[in-house]
Amino acid sequence: MSRLATILAHLITQAHPGQPIPTTKLPSGLRVSVRVLASGQRQMSLTRTATQKPSVKEAEVCRDHAGWALASIEVGETRTGLPCLLVTEAQP
């Protein structure tokens, strides 16, 4: 298992509805957090900085390493206004 897959698996297992979102900064500078939506779906938020946006390629790599083959990727914004990409797993 790759290091990225291990990190994502750890974040995903820590995500529970109603609990604070665990965030990790990867060596590449990408920040990843995982939350559980009301529907039960898990969602990764990928951010960088106010001037750097995460790339769709990074989102695709995270999606693949999380094992969410049918996940959607959308452009979003954090509560603080940072640009982010949201990777949402397919409906369970």
Side-chain angles (χ1 to χ4, degrees), residues 2-32:
S2 73
R3 183 171 179 197
L4 177 59
T6 302
I7 291 168
L8 292 176
H10 177 71
L11 287 173
I12 291 166
T13 59
Q14 288 192 353
H16 298 288
Q19 291 187 355
I21 303 167
T23 302
T24 297
K25 185 175 179 182
L26 302 177
S28 66
L30 185 69
R31 289 182 180 94
V32 181

Side-chain angles (χ1 to χ4, degrees), residues 14-49:
Q14 288 192 353
H16 298 288
Q19 291 187 355
I21 303 167
T23 302
T24 297
K25 185 175 179 182
L26 302 177
S28 66
L30 185 69
R31 289 182 180 94
V32 181
S33 64
V34 179
R35 68 182 179 150
V36 178
L37 303 176
S39 64
Q41 293 171 283
R42 294 171 293 185
Q43 183 179 67
M44 279 188 276
S45 173
L46 310 175
T47 59
R48 284 198 169 275
T49 65

